[in-house]
Amino acid sequence: MNILGINAYHGNASAAIVCDGKLVAAVEEERFNRVKYAAGFPAQAIRYCLQEAGLKLSEIEHVAVPRNPYARLATKLFYALRMPSFARERARVLTKFTGIPEALAHAFDADPKALLARFHRVEHHQAHLASSFYCAPFDQAALLSADGLGDFASTMWGTGLGNRMQIQGAVAFPHSLGLYYSAVTQYLGFLKFGDEYKVMGLAAYGQPEQSEVFREIVKFGETGNGNGFRLGLDFFTHHRTGPEMSWAEADKTPTLGRLFSEQMGKRLRAPARAPEGPLEPRHKNLAASLQARLEEVYLGMLRKLAKQSQRRAVSLAGGVAFNCVANGKIFDATPFEHVYVHPAAGDAGLAVGAALYVWHQILDKPRSFVMDHAYWGPSFSRQQIQRAITASEPASKGFVVADLPEGELLKRTAAIIADGKVLGWFQGRAEWGPRALGNRSIVADPRRPEMKEILNRRIKHREVFRPFAPSILAEETGTWFEKSHPSPFMTLAYSVKPDKRQQIPAPTHVDGTGRVQTVTREANPRYHALISAFRDLTGVPVVLNTSFNDNEPIVCTPEEAVDCFFRTQMDALVLGDFLITKS
Ligand SMILES: [Fe+2]
């Protein structure tokens, strides 16, 4: 039984294929069309998934789309009557969605009538919950989707047992933790889609001195609506104008209209920061206050969920579940002992979630799959890699290429990292989700405090306040961090043990935490072997890991890797078995 999941006409367009209950392939459209967070119809992602599964479109029996236009119809109608422009936008999106069978047929040059698949509409948050629960190593768990907005809700929770999910509550538009975070992110002068991640990094530099105002911006208490929270709507505009998400026609880049009202400036006693303006201490304190209130509400919701569900494990998805700082506090702040966050917790993950929802919840099939690694994207043969290297003419640029057996490759590569060089590392299948996890990574020495500045200046061109992440041998996690719970997808930040901070300053954030990736031999044998080789050389079982890109989607093909390598100023590049170094 073959199920295709498609997240289309929405940020992070993506596709996934589930065959007989097991995920075979999953990838974001941005990796092909090279537009970050691209929306539109993910034709190239679908094509890749079919190819990886060895299927023709006519062999797909079910297509799952993570959107149900009939969810919360009464609330939608209420707002549609008050906001005609919003109603028009919803109608436009709905037309696109009902046209997905035609778009699919068109992309594959097929007659829509020849498509045999049954189409299923899965509600946005149920697809988020499914993406997490049906991929988690838990037979039973509490479930939470904490998000911006989808199908007119921002938040949903429930429980999972075996192959069934039970939904117990939701928070409807306009109340949203994701929009709350986005609104203050905009207020702080970060206007691009996805900038919330930057502000989370900035928060560690400030003090939450405006917590009282932030408790008015998001209200939460024992008497809240179920497990939920409410926004102080005076601070926002989206309930009056509609959340204006638009997609540039040219390249499908998403932008979000202004979310905060004048009240934000009045109560915070400071004007909004101009983009590119100086970052003053008060901005850092605002970021800290924003993050502190998010944690109070998020962890408070999780405490209530733990109490109601009586479960020890929790499965998380939705954009807010990318808040690794908040996630890292779950173990101390709630009764939960096990946490699973889907690696594509944002809307890309809906493609996997919708497909698994159909398999389990609609077709009632038993569980047989755990997502214990994130390598579900394209891979390339030795010949393809070799062709890409040859075409780049490394010798003419002063580089030499060596084709090495694994032991020699790892030994030489570990020595290059230990020598303070910046390494591009390209192996196997591309990662699913926004984090590079050792297959499309830039790897560097974590022991050198100057490494952050070197990476930023030469390659990444990121804001200086943003931290870099550590990859650690999973078996060493408890020796170096205050927590040892698995974090295979870099979705949990833990405190580095105080006596170890001096040893890995480069990926240790200003507050002493690291957004850690715990690497097992089973999940990624070659990356595990590389970190082990580095440990054998230096005594440190950690490398600094950042995504292989330069202000663009993570590289996908060997050609893009080689191009990024020569364009930026990396010192060495490993592609499969090939090592490229300066001659
Ligand atoms: Fe979402």
Side-chain angles (χ1 to χ4, degrees):
M1 176 87 65
N2 305 314
I3 307 173
L4 172 66
I6 303 175
N7 178 42
Y9 309 125
H10 199 75
N12 299 302
S14 62
I17 280 186
V18 170
C19 300
D20 294 330
K22 293 187 171 61
L23 184 68
V24 171
V27 69
E28 295 93 332
E29 187 72 359
E30 66 159 33
R31 304 296 159 90
F32 300 103
N33 72 6
R34 313 303 300 155
V35 177
K36 230 173 170 180
Y37 311 117
F41 188 77
Q44 298 183 78
I46 296 170
R47 196 163 287 125
Y48 158 70
C49 288
L50 287 170
Q51 182 196 323
E52 186 69 41
L55 294 172
K56 295 196 281 285
L57 188 58
S58 57
E59 292 172 284
I60 295 293
E61 288 137 302
H62 298 269
V63 175
V65 178
R67 183 154 192 151
N68 184 353
Y70 304 106
R72 288 172 203 84
L73 208 51
T75 324
K76 279 178 192 164
L77 286 172
F78 173 77
Y79 280 97
L81 287 170
R82 288 174 36 166
M83 295 181 275
S85 63
F86 188 34
R88 276 196 298 278
E89 172 60 18
R90 311 289 310 174
R92 200 178 61 80
V93 171
L94 180 57
T95 312
K96 279 190 164 176
F97 260 81
T98 47
I100 282 183
E102 286 74 23
L104 191 55
H106 178 72
F108 288 84
D109 215 11
D111 180 352
K113 292 194 193 77
L115 284 183
L116 303 174
R118 254 179 79 194
F119 280 74
H120 303 268
R121 293 188 180 117
V122 181
E123 194 189 341
H124 187 102
H125 292 284
Q126 299 214 30
H128 271 315
L129 294 178
S131 78
S132 191
F133 180 54
Y134 294 135
C135 290
F138 310 141
D139 182 56
Q140 44 182 298
L143 318 175
L144 176 67
S145 168
D147 204 2
L149 188 64
D151 279 333
F152 241 63
S154 70
T155 313
M156 188 175 276
W157 58 89
T159 52
L161 177 61
N163 72 340
R164 314 302 294 172
M165 298 192 303
Q166 270 208 327
I167 305 307
Q168 280 152 355
V171 176
F173 179 87
H175 305 287
S176 162
L177 277 186
L179 292 180
Y180 151 72
Y181 215 93
S182 299
V184 182
T185 295
Q186 289 179 348
Y187 192 80
L188 285 166
F190 298 95
L191 304 184
K192 287 204 197 112
F193 191 81
D195 276 357
E196 293 80 2
Y197 219 70
K198 298 180 184 174
V199 172
M200 183 182 69
L202 183 65
Y205 292 85
Q207 293 300 321
E209 58 171 30
Q210 300 236 47
S211 284
E212 285 315 309
V213 183
F214 276 80
R215 290 192 184 109
E216 292 174 37
I217 300 176
V218 188
K219 295 168 187 160
F220 179 74
E222 296 304 314
T223 56
N225 49 349
N227 283 358
F229 55 88
R230 294 183 69 78
L231 296 183
L233 290 173
D234 287 356
F235 293 90
F236 298 88
T237 59
H238 63 280
H239 58 295
R240 290 198 301 269
T241 60
E244 295 168 33
M245 177 70 87
S246 58
W247 319 100
E249 262 322 304
D251 64 1
K252 309 292 178 205
T253 314
T255 41
L256 194 56
R258 182 176 136 162
L259 292 166
F260 62 89
S261 74
E262 299 303 326
Q263 180 73 359
M264 192 81 82
K266 280 186 200 148
R267 297 285 290 116
L268 295 173
R269 298 185 306 277
R273 173 178 166 265
E276 314 303 326
L279 263 179
E280 295 165 14
R282 64 192 170 99
H283 300 127
K284 295 170 185 171
N285 293 339
L286 275 181
S289 308
L290 162 75
Q291 176 67 22
R293 185 56 179 156
L294 177 93
E295 289 171 13
E296 283 176 1
V297 176
Y298 183 65
L299 297 170
M301 282 170 58
L302 285 169
R303 269 195 298 276
K304 287 187 180 185
L305 188 57
K307 199 168 157 195
Q308 285 165 6
S309 67
Q310 294 294 307
R311 299 287 203 272
R312 299 267 172 94
V314 64
S315 275
L316 299 166
V320 178
F322 274 135
N323 197 300
C324 53
V325 178
N327 289 342
K329 295 179 180 172
I330 291 174
F331 304 104
D332 289 339
T334 81
F336 288 120
E337 294 164 13
H338 308 282
V339 178
Y340 183 86
V341 187
H342 186 88
D347 287 345
L350 295 170
V352 167
L356 288 171
Y357 183 95
V358 169
W359 178 251
H360 294 299
Q361 199 85 0
I362 296 179
L363 302 174
D364 199 19
K365 301 289 189 185
R367 305 269 296 273
S368 63
F369 171 73
V370 172
M371 189 189 282
D372 44 18
H373 67 77
Y375 313 106
W376 303 101
S379 65
F380 298 85
S381 68
R382 185 181 157 83
Q383 287 72 24
Q384 286 171 306
I385 290 173
Q386 208 160 13
R387 268 200 302 275
I389 294 172
T390 308
S392 72
E393 300 179 349
S396 71
K397 299 178 173 86
F399 284 81
V400 287
V401 183
D403 178 4
L404 300 167
E406 186 171 54
E408 180 67 15
L409 178 80
L410 296 172
K411 231 169 109 181
R412 281 188 58 184
T413 308
I416 287 168
I417 302 168
D419 200 25
K421 303 281 199 299
V422 178
L423 174 82
W425 176 256
F426 181 102
Q427 299 289 344
R429 294 184 73 178
E431 292 88 346
W432 167 237
R435 305 278 90 83
L437 299 168
N439 278 7
R440 301 287 185 280
S441 288
I442 294 172
V443 179
D445 190 342
R447 301 169 303 163
R448 296 166 187 265
E450 71 277 14
M451 195 46 80
K452 221 177 122 172
E453 191 268 328
I454 291 172
L455 283 168
N456 266 327
R457 179 166 43 80
R458 287 170 46 187
I459 295 142
K460 302 289 289 189
H461 309 114
R462 305 194 322 186
E463 294 80 359
V464 290
F465 58 82
R466 293 175 63 190
F468 285 101
S471 295
I472 187 167
L473 298 178
E475 57 273 27
E476 300 268 10
T477 314
T479 313
W480 289 72
F481 290 89
E482 298 288 2
K483 296 276 173 286
S484 58
H485 186 282
S487 173
F489 309 133
M490 241 183 223
T491 46
L492 297 145
Y494 299 151
S495 286
V496 182
K497 289 204 163 169
D499 62 320
K500 301 289 189 193
R501 288 179 192 174
Q502 289 288 317
Q503 291 189 62
I504 50 168
T508 300
H509 201 21
V510 64
D511 59 357
T513 64
R515 185 191 70 203
V516 68
Q517 176 197 2
T518 54
V519 182
T520 62
R521 188 175 286 119
E522 295 71 32
N524 194 333
R526 191 168 264 200
Y527 193 43
H528 188 275
L530 174 67
I531 306 171
S532 301
F534 182 78
R535 189 247 345 249
D536 294 347
L537 210 57
T538 64
V540 174
V542 179
V543 295
L544 182 156
N545 171 11
T546 184
S547 50
F548 198 146
N549 59 351
D550 168 22
N551 276 313
E552 61 186 328
I554 301 175
V555 299
C556 180
T557 65
E559 285 80 9
E560 285 154 10
V562 168
D563 182 61
C564 182
F565 172 72
F566 285 121
R567 189 164 24 95
T568 60
Q569 296 170 47
M570 280 179 243
D571 299 297
L573 171 62
V574 174
L575 296 142
D577 297 334
F578 297 97
L579 171 64
I580 307 179
T581 48
K582 280 175 189 148
S583 51

